[in-house]
Amino acid sequence: MTTVPVSTYRLQLTADFRLQDAAALVDYIQALGADWVYLSPILRAEPGSTHGYDVVDHTTVDPERGGAEGLTALAEAAHAAGLGVLIDTVPNHMGVATPVENAWWWDLLQHGREAEHAAAFDVDWESGAGRIRIPILGDDEGDHSALDDLTIEDGELRYFENRLPIAPGTADDGATPREVHDRQHYELVNWRRADAELNYRRFFAVNTLAAIRVEDPAVFDGSHVEIGRWFDEKIADGIRVDHPDGLLDPGAYLDRLSERIGGAPIWVEKILEGEEDLPAEWATLGTTGYDALGDVDRVLVDPTGLPVLAELAGVELTRDAWDELVHTTKRGIADGILGSEVRRLARLVPEVDEAVDALAEILTAFPVYRSYLPLGDEYLDAALETAETRRPELAEAFAALAPRLRNPADPLAARFQQTSGMVMAKGVEDTAFYRYTALTSLTEVGGDPAETDISVAEFHHRQARRQAEWPSSMTTLSTHDTKRSEDVRARIDALSEVADRWAEHAVALHTSNGFPDRRLEQLVWQAAVGAWPIERERLHAYVEKAAREAGDSTTWTAPDEAFEVALHAAVDGLYDSRRANAALLDAVADVEAAGWTNSLVAKAVQLTMPGVPDVYQGSELWDRSLVDPDNRRPVDYAERRELLAKLDDGWLPPVAADGAAKLLVTSRLLRLRRSHPERYTEYTALAAEGAAAEHVLAFSRGGVVTIATRLSLRLAERGGWKNTNVVLPEGRYVEVLTGREISGGPVSVAALLEQYPVAVLTIADGDEHTEPATTTSGDEESPR
């Protein structure tokens, strides 16, 4: 087992796919070629949780997911097979939807500020007059108050299915349930009041996920009991940290975590914006890979088709247009569902007039998820400048807030840093991404859709930088959080190459179905094309979620029934209307082959580029999943085992609908990377020459060379590869997918890519000391 993995394979554990099931899958993962098994959260979560991020007990492996026995079985199987174990952890928050399941939260509700675990939660007691507000009450009706529905049963206060504790001595005198409620350390309030009046910190705007204060040493120790055991007993080998941006001091947390787990490798689920760098001081090997995902997608986008797509969606593909949309959506979040958090910041500066408005504007203008003072103060300066430009009438408030926001020791600065990421995530990832719909593959987690595409030279530059600065950072193409799987995005990327034809299909779809929201319409049609064939129920669920997230025509809190009826009718039309179905099938036919090409290329590039590649469960075959929970569906591993056995018997599959070609690419490149990690120690761009040179993406890792096709539909229009060559470093090579032997020097791309749209060459045995040639890509010098 390697100390740092050369690759990982992510598994989503549920009550239906437990740790014992994962243990039984280890032989397949090992045969596939992955180096470590990567597990979703396994601490005890809310009953029935399908994701595990709502932890209720830090001392126990979730019995629903297989318990401690299942974890032991998985670890023993993995280690016996030479595989490491990486486990996802959730330090920022706990699940509180069912208080009786969470002993810490139950204790807090029962005993208030005097509770043993009061320090674990971030509660502003003063703003609630000494009580914590719990937003679970329904609306009052006429003279009937929701509090009239309270009952007392078995020594607990009940509100329908909600069970709540009763403080000692507060229900012994025959008081009514409502009178008992009024004596508790909590106040039950209408669910609509959460946005403005909640007085405990949450995960984003999720009322049932209460943030915890791991900066308190006692809270850290209590919430890392089981995690520490995994490393003391050599069960786990590495950690993924979910949402470190929500922590008071992520750097200090990572230092403490690293010490507790004996210096084992740590990765952070962190979104970087633009040229933002991960703090080099952090005790982490890097991020979980969203930045790499964006690079791979964008080098496969044809910019010439984007104006047509933008016109269809009614959006402008410019930096200014994107920034303006983001300002609108972030400000809406700051004023709306995260209003409680903004007001809590304002309570720290009662001397500043208009503090709520000014703080909301600065949060809206913040260009990255957060700063880590004293690191990142330049982002605060930029936000203050932008805010004052937009709102000069608040200049006095900005000036009063600035020195406090710059001071790392100030509670205002600390809480502001925890809040800015929440506003960014909800305003951009969960709102703007659903409104900016010209080419929806660009609105992926961690992406910047104003950057619509990148050149081959820019791709090389970024990978050379990754190799130099973060060689063990993870790379990914699909995760449990991506809004579209890699194969869905691969097809959607190809729409940029046939934009005019797509426009014809989109018009036919519109006239067949009608659609009352122009921007959302493009998102729906593109999702259908990318995921087709997709079951009707899945597409219905996706478009309803997408529409409510966009928040233009309907919302989660106030659904527009008439709009949603029309929305679902349009989805049904894709299946039931002959004209709409024909237009959809024609659109799919236009990009299906290009989607296969893009998928194989993207996977090969990800598995050979710098970083530690992660393969998301099931994505070794075509996987056309949409946003969660669609991307957490069960995986058919029997099918994958059968196809892998056929490949190992020498079958070379066609690039076709069963996805076996992707399994070939995935297994061969994972195995190569695991068996020869020493061949991936550098990054050198390789030049292509000839008529179709711009359609080649080629690079050397030292002992492995990747040659891939980009923009395959445009390539076909131009007559194919013709005389295009790529110059290989001197030496003898074996093409990994087909087993052909190839010599270095100028090589015909058409010959290399005769069977598959990507070729990966590795130096032949005995030629390990071959030095790669230093070459250039295009007219630019290749970075190293």
Side-chain angles (χ1 to χ4, degrees), residues 452-478:
T452 56
D453 62 286
I454 62 173
S455 66
V456 170
E458 178 61 21
F459 179 86
H460 289 319
H461 169 71
R462 294 183 184 185
Q463 305 326 307
R465 183 183 178 198
R466 179 186 302 277
Q467 176 65 23
E469 298 178 5
W470 295 97
S472 296
S473 190
M474 296 180 80
T475 67
T476 190
L477 294 179
S478 298

PDB file of all heavy atoms in Angstrom, residues 452-478:
ATOM      1  N   THR A 452     -15.272  30.406 -20.836  1.00  0.00           N
ATOM      2  CA  THR A 452     -16.043  29.433 -21.604  1.00  0.00           C
ATOM      3  C   THR A 452     -15.199  28.307 -22.169  1.00  0.00           C
ATOM      4  O   THR A 452     -15.703  27.206 -22.416  1.00  0.00           O
ATOM      5  CB  THR A 452     -16.754  30.135 -22.767  1.00  0.00           C
ATOM      6  OG1 THR A 452     -15.767  30.828 -23.550  1.00  0.00           O
ATOM      7  CG2 THR A 452     -17.784  31.139 -22.249  1.00  0.00           C
ATOM      8  N   ASP A 453     -13.920  28.586 -22.420  1.00  0.00           N
ATOM      9  CA  ASP A 453     -13.059  27.584 -23.028  1.00  0.00           C
ATOM     10  C   ASP A 453     -11.624  27.984 -22.738  1.00  0.00           C
ATOM     11  O   ASP A 453     -11.358  29.128 -22.336  1.00  0.00           O
ATOM     12  CB  ASP A 453     -13.286  27.526 -24.548  1.00  0.00           C
ATOM     13  CG  ASP A 453     -12.944  28.848 -25.221  1.00  0.00           C
ATOM     14  OD1 ASP A 453     -13.736  29.814 -25.079  1.00  0.00           O
ATOM     15  OD2 ASP A 453     -11.891  28.940 -25.867  1.00  0.00           O
ATOM     16  N   ILE A 454     -10.701  27.032 -22.905  1.00  0.00           N
ATOM     17  CA  ILE A 454      -9.285  27.350 -22.786  1.00  0.00           C
ATOM     18  C   ILE A 454      -8.534  26.722 -23.954  1.00  0.00           C
ATOM     19  O   ILE A 454      -8.963  25.715 -24.514  1.00  0.00           O
ATOM     20  CB  ILE A 454      -8.669  26.884 -21.445  1.00  0.00           C
ATOM     21  CG1 ILE A 454      -8.759  25.368 -21.295  1.00  0.00           C
ATOM     22  CG2 ILE A 454      -9.297  27.601 -20.275  1.00  0.00           C
ATOM     23  CD1 ILE A 454      -8.019  24.840 -20.074  1.00  0.00           C
ATOM     24  N   SER A 455      -7.435  27.348 -24.314  1.00  0.00           N
ATOM     25  CA  SER A 455      -6.608  26.830 -25.395  1.00  0.00           C
ATOM     26  C   SER A 455      -5.797  25.644 -24.905  1.00  0.00           C
ATOM     27  O   SER A 455      -5.653  25.401 -23.705  1.00  0.00           O
ATOM     28  CB  SER A 455      -5.658  27.922 -25.885  1.00  0.00           C
ATOM     29  OG  SER A 455      -4.718  28.254 -24.867  1.00  0.00           O
ATOM     30  N   VAL A 456      -5.238  24.919 -25.873  1.00  0.00           N
ATOM     31  CA  VAL A 456      -4.344  23.827 -25.524  1.00  0.00           C
ATOM     32  C   VAL A 456      -3.152  24.358 -24.744  1.00  0.00           C
ATOM     33  O   VAL A 456      -2.716  23.753 -23.754  1.00  0.00           O
ATOM     34  CB  VAL A 456      -3.897  23.087 -26.798  1.00  0.00           C
ATOM     35  CG1 VAL A 456      -2.783  22.096 -26.483  1.00  0.00           C
ATOM     36  CG2 VAL A 456      -5.081  22.369 -27.433  1.00  0.00           C
ATOM     37  N   ALA A 457      -2.625  25.496 -25.168  1.00  0.00           N
ATOM     38  CA  ALA A 457      -1.472  26.072 -24.471  1.00  0.00           C
ATOM     39  C   ALA A 457      -1.810  26.400 -23.022  1.00  0.00           C
ATOM     40  O   ALA A 457      -1.004  26.171 -22.110  1.00  0.00           O
ATOM     41  CB  ALA A 457      -0.987  27.316 -25.208  1.00  0.00           C
ATOM     42  N   GLU A 458      -2.998  26.955 -22.795  1.00  0.00           N
ATOM     43  CA  GLU A 458      -3.394  27.285 -21.424  1.00  0.00           C
ATOM     44  C   GLU A 458      -3.598  26.018 -20.600  1.00  0.00           C
ATOM     45  O   GLU A 458      -3.248  25.968 -19.415  1.00  0.00           O
ATOM     46  CB  GLU A 458      -4.678  28.116 -21.431  1.00  0.00           C
ATOM     47  CG  GLU A 458      -5.217  28.482 -20.055  1.00  0.00           C
ATOM     48  CD  GLU A 458      -4.263  29.331 -19.217  1.00  0.00           C
ATOM     49  OE1 GLU A 458      -3.354  29.974 -19.783  1.00  0.00           O
ATOM     50  OE2 GLU A 458      -4.432  29.352 -17.976  1.00  0.00           O
ATOM     51  N   PHE A 459      -4.160  24.985 -21.215  1.00  0.00           N
ATOM     52  CA  PHE A 459      -4.306  23.715 -20.508  1.00  0.00           C
ATOM     53  C   PHE A 459      -2.929  23.220 -20.061  1.00  0.00           C
ATOM     54  O   PHE A 459      -2.753  22.820 -18.900  1.00  0.00           O
ATOM     55  CB  PHE A 459      -4.971  22.680 -21.405  1.00  0.00           C
ATOM     56  CG  PHE A 459      -5.140  21.337 -20.754  1.00  0.00           C
ATOM     57  CD1 PHE A 459      -6.243  21.068 -19.969  1.00  0.00           C
ATOM     58  CD2 PHE A 459      -4.171  20.337 -20.898  1.00  0.00           C
ATOM     59  CE1 PHE A 459      -6.402  19.837 -19.343  1.00  0.00           C
ATOM     60  CE2 PHE A 459      -4.320  19.114 -20.290  1.00  0.00           C
ATOM     61  CZ  PHE A 459      -5.441  18.856 -19.502  1.00  0.00           C
ATOM     62  N   HIS A 460      -1.965  23.235 -20.953  1.00  0.00           N
ATOM     63  CA  HIS A 460      -0.618  22.786 -20.598  1.00  0.00           C
ATOM     64  C   HIS A 460      -0.035  23.632 -19.466  1.00  0.00           C
ATOM     65  O   HIS A 460       0.597  23.106 -18.543  1.00  0.00           O
ATOM     66  CB  HIS A 460       0.304  22.871 -21.814  1.00  0.00           C
ATOM     67  CG  HIS A 460       0.021  21.849 -22.873  1.00  0.00           C
ATOM     68  ND1 HIS A 460      -0.279  20.538 -22.582  1.00  0.00           N
ATOM     69  CD2 HIS A 460       0.003  21.949 -24.234  1.00  0.00           C
ATOM     70  CE1 HIS A 460      -0.470  19.871 -23.718  1.00  0.00           C
ATOM     71  NE2 HIS A 460      -0.313  20.702 -24.723  1.00  0.00           N
ATOM     72  N   HIS A 461      -0.229  24.917 -19.541  1.00  0.00           N
ATOM     73  CA  HIS A 461       0.299  25.812 -18.496  1.00  0.00           C
ATOM     74  C   HIS A 461      -0.262  25.431 -17.122  1.00  0.00           C
ATOM     75  O   HIS A 461       0.477  25.355 -16.135  1.00  0.00           O
ATOM     76  CB  HIS A 461      -0.056  27.253 -18.841  1.00  0.00           C
ATOM     77  CG  HIS A 461       0.201  28.215 -17.730  1.00  0.00           C
ATOM     78  ND1 HIS A 461       1.476  28.573 -17.322  1.00  0.00           N
ATOM     79  CD2 HIS A 461      -0.649  28.881 -16.896  1.00  0.00           C
ATOM     80  CE1 HIS A 461       1.390  29.420 -16.314  1.00  0.00           C
ATOM     81  NE2 HIS A 461       0.116  29.617 -16.032  1.00  0.00           N
ATOM     82  N   ARG A 462      -1.554  25.185 -17.065  1.00  0.00           N
ATOM     83  CA  ARG A 462      -2.181  24.872 -15.776  1.00  0.00           C
ATOM     84  C   ARG A 462      -1.713  23.521 -15.236  1.00  0.00           C
ATOM     85  O   ARG A 462      -1.527  23.363 -14.023  1.00  0.00           O
ATOM     86  CB  ARG A 462      -3.698  24.902 -15.928  1.00  0.00           C
ATOM     87  CG  ARG A 462      -4.225  26.282 -16.239  1.00  0.00           C
ATOM     88  CD  ARG A 462      -5.743  26.322 -16.330  1.00  0.00           C
ATOM     89  NE  ARG A 462      -6.195  27.650 -16.723  1.00  0.00           N
ATOM     90  CZ  ARG A 462      -7.460  28.021 -16.797  1.00  0.00           C
ATOM     91  NH1 ARG A 462      -8.426  27.143 -16.505  1.00  0.00           N
ATOM     92  NH2 ARG A 462      -7.784  29.238 -17.165  1.00  0.00           N
ATOM     93  N   GLN A 463      -1.519  22.554 -16.123  1.00  0.00           N
ATOM     94  CA  GLN A 463      -1.091  21.249 -15.640  1.00  0.00           C
ATOM     95  C   GLN A 463       0.374  21.268 -15.201  1.00  0.00           C
ATOM     96  O   GLN A 463       0.748  20.580 -14.249  1.00  0.00           O
ATOM     97  CB  GLN A 463      -1.331  20.179 -16.701  1.00  0.00           C
ATOM     98  CG  GLN A 463      -2.764  20.102 -17.203  1.00  0.00           C
ATOM     99  CD  GLN A 463      -3.805  20.412 -16.141  1.00  0.00           C
ATOM    100  OE1 GLN A 463      -3.807  19.824 -15.059  1.00  0.00           O
ATOM    101  NE2 GLN A 463      -4.691  21.349 -16.438  1.00  0.00           N
ATOM    102  N   ALA A 464       1.190  22.030 -15.897  1.00  0.00           N
ATOM    103  CA  ALA A 464       2.580  22.169 -15.464  1.00  0.00           C
ATOM    104  C   ALA A 464       2.642  22.824 -14.082  1.00  0.00           C
ATOM    105  O   ALA A 464       3.443  22.431 -13.224  1.00  0.00           O
ATOM    106  CB  ALA A 464       3.371  22.994 -16.474  1.00  0.00           C
ATOM    107  N   ARG A 465       1.768  23.778 -13.863  1.00  0.00           N
ATOM    108  CA  ARG A 465       1.714  24.422 -12.545  1.00  0.00           C
ATOM    109  C   ARG A 465       1.231  23.438 -11.483  1.00  0.00           C
ATOM    110  O   ARG A 465       1.767  23.384 -10.381  1.00  0.00           O
ATOM    111  CB  ARG A 465       0.785  25.631 -12.613  1.00  0.00           C
ATOM    112  CG  ARG A 465       0.707  26.411 -11.316  1.00  0.00           C
ATOM    113  CD  ARG A 465      -0.284  27.549 -11.421  1.00  0.00           C
ATOM    114  NE  ARG A 465      -0.378  28.263 -10.145  1.00  0.00           N
ATOM    115  CZ  ARG A 465      -1.378  29.051  -9.816  1.00  0.00           C
ATOM    116  NH1 ARG A 465      -2.360  29.257 -10.669  1.00  0.00           N
ATOM    117  NH2 ARG A 465      -1.395  29.652  -8.645  1.00  0.00           N
ATOM    118  N   ARG A 466       0.225  22.646 -11.828  1.00  0.00           N
ATOM    119  CA  ARG A 466      -0.256  21.637 -10.876  1.00  0.00           C
ATOM    120  C   ARG A 466       0.867  20.664 -10.508  1.00  0.00           C
ATOM    121  O   ARG A 466       1.054  20.320  -9.338  1.00  0.00           O
ATOM    122  CB  ARG A 466      -1.433  20.865 -11.486  1.00  0.00           C
ATOM    123  CG  ARG A 466      -2.012  19.767 -10.588  1.00  0.00           C
ATOM    124  CD  ARG A 466      -3.067  18.966 -11.344  1.00  0.00           C
ATOM    125  NE  ARG A 466      -4.124  19.840 -11.802  1.00  0.00           N
ATOM    126  CZ  ARG A 466      -5.151  20.222 -11.041  1.00  0.00           C
ATOM    127  NH1 ARG A 466      -5.260  19.781  -9.802  1.00  0.00           N
ATOM    128  NH2 ARG A 466      -6.074  21.016 -11.523  1.00  0.00           N
ATOM    129  N   GLN A 467       1.607  20.219 -11.513  1.00  0.00           N
ATOM    130  CA  GLN A 467       2.703  19.294 -11.249  1.00  0.00           C
ATOM    131  C   GLN A 467       3.767  19.923 -10.345  1.00  0.00           C
ATOM    132  O   GLN A 467       4.312  19.267  -9.461  1.00  0.00           O
ATOM    133  CB  GLN A 467       3.342  18.850 -12.577  1.00  0.00           C
ATOM    134  CG  GLN A 467       4.557  17.957 -12.434  1.00  0.00           C
ATOM    135  CD  GLN A 467       4.241  16.614 -11.803  1.00  0.00           C
ATOM    136  OE1 GLN A 467       3.099  16.158 -11.848  1.00  0.00           O
ATOM    137  NE2 GLN A 467       5.233  15.988 -11.196  1.00  0.00           N
ATOM    138  N   ALA A 468       4.038  21.197 -10.551  1.00  0.00           N
ATOM    139  CA  ALA A 468       5.087  21.867  -9.779  1.00  0.00           C
ATOM    140  C   ALA A 468       4.644  22.188  -8.359  1.00  0.00           C
ATOM    141  O   ALA A 468       5.443  22.108  -7.419  1.00  0.00           O
ATOM    142  CB  ALA A 468       5.512  23.150 -10.492  1.00  0.00           C
ATOM    143  N   GLU A 469       3.359  22.542  -8.177  1.00  0.00           N
ATOM    144  CA  GLU A 469       2.922  23.072  -6.886  1.00  0.00           C
ATOM    145  C   GLU A 469       2.074  22.106  -6.064  1.00  0.00           C
ATOM    146  O   GLU A 469       2.175  22.098  -4.835  1.00  0.00           O
ATOM    147  CB  GLU A 469       2.146  24.376  -7.114  1.00  0.00           C
ATOM    148  CG  GLU A 469       2.998  25.466  -7.774  1.00  0.00           C
ATOM    149  CD  GLU A 469       2.210  26.725  -8.045  1.00  0.00           C
ATOM    150  OE1 GLU A 469       1.021  26.797  -7.638  1.00  0.00           O
ATOM    151  OE2 GLU A 469       2.760  27.650  -8.661  1.00  0.00           O
ATOM    152  N   TRP A 470       1.212  21.341  -6.716  1.00  0.00           N
ATOM    153  CA  TRP A 470       0.303  20.451  -5.992  1.00  0.00           C
ATOM    154  C   TRP A 470       0.236  19.100  -6.687  1.00  0.00           C
ATOM    155  O   TRP A 470      -0.837  18.668  -7.144  1.00  0.00           O
ATOM    156  CB  TRP A 470      -1.096  21.074  -5.887  1.00  0.00           C
ATOM    157  CG  TRP A 470      -1.140  22.316  -5.062  1.00  0.00           C
ATOM    158  CD1 TRP A 470      -1.091  23.605  -5.503  1.00  0.00           C
ATOM    159  CD2 TRP A 470      -1.215  22.401  -3.635  1.00  0.00           C
ATOM    160  NE1 TRP A 470      -1.147  24.479  -4.445  1.00  0.00           N
ATOM    161  CE2 TRP A 470      -1.226  23.771  -3.281  1.00  0.00           C
ATOM    162  CE3 TRP A 470      -1.275  21.440  -2.614  1.00  0.00           C
ATOM    163  CZ2 TRP A 470      -1.289  24.204  -1.967  1.00  0.00           C
ATOM    164  CZ3 TRP A 470      -1.342  21.874  -1.302  1.00  0.00           C
ATOM    165  CH2 TRP A 470      -1.351  23.231  -0.981  1.00  0.00           C
ATOM    166  N   PRO A 471       1.332  18.366  -6.765  1.00  0.00           N
ATOM    167  CA  PRO A 471       1.335  17.113  -7.532  1.00  0.00           C
ATOM    168  C   PRO A 471       0.467  16.014  -6.943  1.00  0.00           C
ATOM    169  O   PRO A 471       0.134  15.059  -7.643  1.00  0.00           O
ATOM    170  CB  PRO A 471       2.819  16.714  -7.527  1.00  0.00           C
ATOM    171  CG  PRO A 471       3.374  17.356  -6.295  1.00  0.00           C
ATOM    172  CD  PRO A 471       2.645  18.663  -6.182  1.00  0.00           C
ATOM    173  N   SER A 472       0.108  16.138  -5.656  1.00  0.00           N
ATOM    174  CA  SER A 472      -0.725  15.114  -5.029  1.00  0.00           C
ATOM    175  C   SER A 472      -2.137  15.605  -4.753  1.00  0.00           C
ATOM    176  O   SER A 472      -2.910  14.957  -4.038  1.00  0.00           O
ATOM    177  CB  SER A 472      -0.085  14.628  -3.718  1.00  0.00           C
ATOM    178  OG  SER A 472       1.134  13.990  -3.979  1.00  0.00           O
ATOM    179  N   SER A 473      -2.494  16.769  -5.307  1.00  0.00           N
ATOM    180  CA  SER A 473      -3.880  17.211  -5.249  1.00  0.00           C
ATOM    181  C   SER A 473      -4.729  16.256  -6.072  1.00  0.00           C
ATOM    182  O   SER A 473      -4.261  15.681  -7.062  1.00  0.00           O
ATOM    183  CB  SER A 473      -3.988  18.633  -5.800  1.00  0.00           C
ATOM    184  OG  SER A 473      -5.265  19.186  -5.563  1.00  0.00           O
ATOM    185  N   MET A 474      -5.978  16.065  -5.688  1.00  0.00           N
ATOM    186  CA  MET A 474      -6.833  15.125  -6.405  1.00  0.00           C
ATOM    187  C   MET A 474      -7.349  15.744  -7.696  1.00  0.00           C
ATOM    188  O   MET A 474      -7.426  16.966  -7.837  1.00  0.00           O
ATOM    189  CB  MET A 474      -8.011  14.686  -5.537  1.00  0.00           C
ATOM    190  CG  MET A 474      -7.611  13.909  -4.296  1.00  0.00           C
ATOM    191  SD  MET A 474      -9.022  13.392  -3.275  1.00  0.00           S
ATOM    192  CE  MET A 474      -9.561  11.957  -4.198  1.00  0.00           C
ATOM    193  N   THR A 475      -7.682  14.881  -8.648  1.00  0.00           N
ATOM    194  CA  THR A 475      -8.409  15.293  -9.842  1.00  0.00           C
ATOM    195  C   THR A 475      -9.680  14.465  -9.925  1.00  0.00           C
ATOM    196  O   THR A 475      -9.731  13.340  -9.429  1.00  0.00           O
ATOM    197  CB  THR A 475      -7.573  15.089 -11.126  1.00  0.00           C
ATOM    198  OG1 THR A 475      -7.387  13.680 -11.349  1.00  0.00           O
ATOM    199  CG2 THR A 475      -6.224  15.774 -11.010  1.00  0.00           C
ATOM    200  N   THR A 476     -10.684  15.031 -10.558  1.00  0.00           N
ATOM    201  CA  THR A 476     -11.956  14.320 -10.657  1.00  0.00           C
ATOM    202  C   THR A 476     -12.688  14.770 -11.904  1.00  0.00           C
ATOM    203  O   THR A 476     -12.403  15.848 -12.456  1.00  0.00           O
ATOM    204  CB  THR A 476     -12.833  14.563  -9.416  1.00  0.00           C
ATOM    205  OG1 THR A 476     -13.951  13.687  -9.444  1.00  0.00           O
ATOM    206  CG2 THR A 476     -13.320  16.003  -9.348  1.00  0.00           C
ATOM    207  N   LEU A 477     -13.636  13.983 -12.350  1.00  0.00           N
ATOM    208  CA  LEU A 477     -14.557  14.373 -13.411  1.00  0.00           C
ATOM    209  C   LEU A 477     -16.009  14.288 -12.944  1.00  0.00           C
ATOM    210  O   LEU A 477     -16.860  15.017 -13.427  1.00  0.00           O
ATOM    211  CB  LEU A 477     -14.368  13.487 -14.650  1.00  0.00           C
ATOM    212  CG  LEU A 477     -13.031  13.621 -15.384  1.00  0.00           C
ATOM    213  CD1 LEU A 477     -12.995  12.667 -16.574  1.00  0.00           C
ATOM    214  CD2 LEU A 477     -12.775  15.048 -15.848  1.00  0.00           C
ATOM    215  N   SER A 478     -16.294  13.381 -12.016  1.00  0.00           N
ATOM    216  CA  SER A 478     -17.641  13.237 -11.446  1.00  0.00           C
ATOM    217  C   SER A 478     -17.502  13.027  -9.948  1.00  0.00           C
ATOM    218  O   SER A 478     -16.566  12.363  -9.490  1.00  0.00           O
ATOM    219  CB  SER A 478     -18.384  12.034 -12.037  1.00  0.00           C
ATOM    220  OG  SER A 478     -18.579  12.168 -13.417  1.00  0.00           O
TER     221      SER A 478
END
